[in-house]
Amino acid sequence: MSKLPYERPVIQRLNTGSMNKFGTRTEYAPVTHIENVSVKSLISEFGSPLFVISENKIRQLYSDVTRAFKTRYPRVQFAWSYKTNYMNAVCNVFHQLGSWAEVVSGFEYNKALKNGVPGSKIIFNGPDKTDDELTLAIRNDSLIHIDHLDELYRIIELAVELKKRPKVAIRVNMDVGIYPMWDRFGFNYENGQAWDAINKIILTDKIDLVGLHAHIGTFMLSPQAYGVAASKLADLAYHTKIKFEKNIEYIDLGGGFASKNTLKGSYLKGSDSSPSFDDYAEAISTALLNAEYTKEHMPLLILESGRALIDEAGFLLGTVIANKRLSDGRRSTILDFGVNILFTAFWYDHKISPAQDFSHYTEDTVLYGPLCMNIDVVRENVTLPPMKKGDQVVVHTVGAYNMTQWMQFISLRPNIVLIDTNGKTHLIRAKESLDTLNSQERMPAHLSSFKL
Amino acid sequence: MWHLFTKSFFNMKIRKNIAVSDSGFIFNPSTGDSFSTNPIGLEIIQMLKEEKSKEEMRKTILQKYQVDEATFEKDFYDFVSMLHQTQIISQDEEKKN
Ligand SMILES: Cc1ncc(COP(=O)(O)O)c(C=O)c1O
């Protein structure tokens, strides 16, 4: 007689009445395939852990967001926020779809140029732009978004030196009813700084004010805040028109739309509570359409959405290393990835699915990473079927910020694979090796040998 | 390793009044708590109720399921510790014995 498949014995307290605080049952349905490619085969070919990006999902999210905006407002342009995920293959999916580039450092600026984005379609944000970077951006006719007065004066000086008329916007911060207010970037609206900056730029007449920019925050759960921001920028544009007879060509509302992740401590799952693209589009377009523009002078609406367009396209595959029982009786499972590569575990309760079939018995579990550090917690509590060493898991909605904010701490960063629209897999970033890191190091001669 | 499960390490007597259903539903009338367990867990609890020896339990499970000795031993140890924690196995009865 052949033996039955084995499952670890488990016992789970039943909480009658209240919803289990560890989440609902649907959370742990097994996910054996991503875009019809099996998790097993991905891990056996590319190793574990492994980041996987679905090109289909990016294209679908982009088409959803553009439909929401273009059906409500006549002129919309997206600019891919490089910092959210600057794998070149990912950037190029967005550029193929028509996105410009939005960058916040010289490194990102050059990455966008190398990807082939024309300089005039690169938006250069951020408080730290060196003279060399500004010079390059001015020569390339890029859209320079000014963060502070020191930068404004420096650009005016460079414009004179280079005998060019740089295209600029100012970044405006403002009260949109959201706290804490992001007032460290740009010029404030309420206290008149923004209006002062506009006056300085136009009266100096050395640089060309083409746009107004605001990025009111990230993971913004209130569409109405965007309505307020759009109205305030439109108001500045209107006064610029009245006083100087100058049209502002574009209004850039930055990024910040929420993705479908679940913020830590929130009771509702992100997939249920995050506003839709239609909600954001409705608030923004209503504010802009109601502003004081003539039909010919409707500004271009630029959006720099990051996480909402890539989070759901990213998956992290990993493997169970071991199980342990904690002193309070909870099960803990150690995985082969931690906060080193899943940085967003600090912000979100990521949805995690087993990658193989299970019975319907479950246990409350803490998920730890492999780093020798207390902060290395992937999920503080999650209901999962019993998993044994070698079992595989899929972490969902990890496309934003992880592949740019990951840390190289005691281990090496893993492979990243893209599944194209035909289901074909492509390695888009090779895992690091000891050589990758050692090639950056230099050994002083007197330390090059030792005897033990 | 099997010898670790000695009386001093683990009492393995299930409380007399624990109700166990065939579907793996467990009720502890002394605390009012209810639990669910999977088929292997149920099988072990049944054997504990029948006061089977550790050796008998080990043999039964190894013969019936695709599992190696070391894995089962580790899981069994863990499961019995959970039965302690949930007070399905009671410390008091141990003292009385
Ligand atoms: C200026 C600017 N634009 C766009 C973004 C993208 O934000 P998100 O990923 O929240 O859409 C950021 C991120 O902080 C930003 O600082």
Side-chain angles (χ1 to χ4, degrees):
Chain A
M1 206 187 84
S2 65
K3 294 187 180 183
L4 300 171
Y6 173 79
E7 181 179 66
R8 179 156 58 75
V10 291
I11 182 159
Q12 167 88 33
R13 192 185 299 274
L14 299 171
N15 295 335
T16 42
S18 69
M19 191 180 110
N20 188 331
K21 73 172 158 118
F22 292 103
T24 48
R25 297 233 141 191
T26 50
E27 184 157 349
Y28 51 76
V31 172
T32 55
H33 289 73
I34 293 168
E35 302 275 330
N36 297 322
V37 185
S38 90
V39 170
K40 268 212 166 53
S41 67
L42 284 165
I43 288 184
S44 78
E45 185 172 356
F46 298 102
S48 174
L50 173 70
F51 278 104
V52 178
I53 293 168
S54 155
E55 185 181 340
N56 263 337
K57 190 71 198 177
I58 301 179
R59 290 182 182 271
Q60 183 213 317
L61 288 167
Y62 191 84
S63 122
D64 291 349
V65 79
T66 44
R67 186 174 349 94
F69 278 90
K70 289 187 174 161
T71 50
R72 291 177 168 86
Y73 190 77
R75 301 179 59 217
V76 185
Q77 174 64 51
F78 281 82
W80 177 239
S81 155
Y82 264 51
K83 71 162 93 59
T84 310
N85 187 320
Y86 45 57
M87 293 309 114
N88 293 329
V90 169
C91 296
N92 279 10
V93 175
F94 283 101
H95 298 321
Q96 280 190 356
L97 287 164
S99 274
W100 296 357
E102 185 268 327
V103 304
V104 290
S105 67
F107 153 68
E108 287 190 347
Y109 185 92
N110 284 303
K111 223 168 188 292
L113 276 186
K114 282 215 158 134
N115 280 339
V117 181
S120 62
K121 295 187 171 166
I122 302 178
I123 294 170
F124 197 175
N125 276 317
D128 176 22
K129 309 180 189 85
T130 65
D131 279 2
D132 285 348
E133 290 159 1
L134 283 174
T135 303
L136 183 64
I138 292 169
R139 291 216 160 102
N140 282 335
D141 267 336
S142 298
L143 303 166
I144 304 172
H145 286 188
I146 303 174
D147 186 76
H148 44 76
L149 275 181
D150 290 318
E151 185 172 79
L152 170 55
Y153 291 131
R154 189 63 196 136
I155 293 173
I156 292 173
E157 284 165 13
L158 288 170
V160 176
E161 276 171 37
L162 298 168
K163 300 196 175 63
K164 280 216 49 141
R165 211 175 150 81
K167 290 200 155 104
V168 304
I170 57 163
R171 176 154 173 181
V172 180
N173 68 63
M174 60 184 75
D175 182 359
V176 291
I178 299 288
Y179 299 92
M181 189 170 130
W182 279 32
D183 60 1
R184 56 176 281 194
F185 302 107
F187 301 88
N188 186 254
Y189 172 85
E190 283 82 15
N191 71 11
Q193 277 173 2
W195 180 238
D196 282 351
I198 291 172
N199 280 276
K200 281 199 176 80
I201 291 171
I202 295 177
L203 293 171
T204 318
D205 200 24
K206 295 274 187 288
I207 59 182
D208 197 8
L209 183 71
V210 289
L212 296 171
H213 174 232
H215 172 73
I216 56 176
T218 193
F219 215 97
M220 303 295 295
L221 291 167
S222 159
Q224 210 32 58
Y226 285 93
V228 175
S231 302
K232 289 185 173 174
L233 292 188
D235 178 63
L236 287 174
Y238 174 69
H239 282 96
T240 308
K241 169 88 180 156
I242 297 286
K243 181 165 171 188
F244 300 106
E245 292 199 355
K246 175 166 178 59
N247 283 311
I248 298 290
E249 290 168 28
Y250 68 85
I251 280 186
D252 177 345
L253 285 173
F257 298 164
S259 70
K260 298 285 182 247
N261 253 310
T262 304
L263 282 179
K264 275 205 160 140
S266 96
Y267 187 70
L268 291 170
K269 285 214 221 119
S271 48
D272 301 330
S273 60
S274 294
S276 66
F277 290 139
D278 287 304
D279 297 333
Y280 292 115
E282 186 64 27
I284 291 171
S285 59
T286 304
L288 290 181
L289 294 172
N290 289 345
E292 314 265 347
Y293 291 114
T294 54
K295 197 153 163 275
E296 314 77 76
H297 294 127
M298 293 300 280
L300 177 68
L301 168 63
I302 296 181
L303 293 162
E304 306 167 350
S305 244
R307 69 181 76 230
L309 300 185
I310 186 70
D311 230 358
E312 280 179 87
F315 302 84
L316 175 58
L317 315 187
T319 305
V320 172
I321 295 175
N323 284 295
K324 273 185 188 173
R325 184 67 66 185
L326 299 178
S327 59
D328 65 1
R330 274 180 308 160
R331 166 150 296 270
S332 71
T333 294
I334 306 171
L335 301 165
D336 66 352
F337 59 85
V339 295
N340 51 335
I341 58 169
L342 190 65
F343 180 86
T344 52
F346 290 130
W347 307 337
Y348 301 132
D349 284 338
H350 278 293
K351 177 177 164 183
I352 297 183
S353 313
Q356 46 276 304
D357 286 320
F358 282 101
S359 69
H360 59 283
Y361 298 94
T362 57
E363 272 187 313
D364 298 339
T365 308
V366 191
L367 296 178
Y368 290 126
L371 310 181
C372 305
M373 295 168 86
N374 237 350
I375 55 159
D376 193 22
V377 183
V378 173
R379 280 292 301 265
E380 268 132 30
N381 44 50
V382 59
T383 307
L384 283 173
M387 292 190 292
K388 54 183 188 306
K389 182 175 161 57
D391 280 351
Q392 294 163 349
V393 298
V394 177
V395 189
H396 302 258
T397 326
V398 303
Y401 296 104
N402 286 304
M403 284 158 253
T404 51
Q405 282 186 284
W406 51 0
M407 294 173 269
Q408 181 272 306
F409 174 68
I410 73 165
S411 61
L412 301 162
R413 284 173 280 212
N415 282 325
I416 305 178
V417 161
L418 176 109
I419 303 178
D420 73 17
T421 51
N422 296 316
K424 194 164 174 297
T425 53
H426 306 261
L427 182 67
I428 60 164
R429 186 181 194 275
K431 65 178 177 220
E432 293 168 352
S433 68
L434 180 57
D435 288 342
T436 321
L437 296 183
N438 275 353
S439 70
Q440 296 300 107
E441 295 199 29
R442 305 289 180 270
M443 183 66 73
H446 70 289
L447 297 176
S448 62
S449 67
F450 54 80
K451 245 195 223 114
L452 284 176
Chain B
M1 270 280 278
W2 199 245
H3 62 274
L4 277 180
F5 299 114
T6 57
K7 183 103 183 164
S8 66
F9 204 77
F10 263 149
N11 161 47
M12 301 213 303
K13 279 219 166 60
I14 296 258
R15 275 179 191 271
K16 298 251 159 8
N17 57 354
I18 298 281
V20 181
S21 85
D22 289 345
S23 61
F25 178 76
I26 299 164
F27 181 62
N28 181 350
S30 351
T31 60
D33 289 328
S34 47
F35 306 89
S36 79
T37 184
N38 58 353
I40 294 192
L42 179 62
E43 214 163 321
I44 294 172
I45 289 173
Q46 300 286 19
M47 290 192 280
L48 286 168
K49 278 198 101 165
E50 293 159 18
E51 306 200 14
K52 290 257 170 65
S53 76
K54 293 149 226 163
E55 189 51 30
E56 279 175 287
M57 290 192 269
R58 183 181 72 92
K59 273 210 177 114
T60 312
I61 299 292
L62 291 185
Q63 264 168 23
K64 195 164 162 189
Y65 294 98
Q66 299 160 8
V67 60
D68 61 88
E69 184 153 350
T71 304
F72 176 65
E73 186 185 310
K74 187 174 55 125
D75 292 348
F76 179 84
Y77 167 93
D78 179 64
F79 187 62
V80 173
S81 77
M82 286 309 288
L83 296 181
H84 273 267
Q85 195 133 40
T86 51
Q87 298 182 39
I88 290 171
I89 289 176
S90 98
Q91 300 293 337
D92 307 347
E93 281 175 36
E94 180 178 30
K95 283 184 199 113
K96 268 182 260 154
N97 288 338

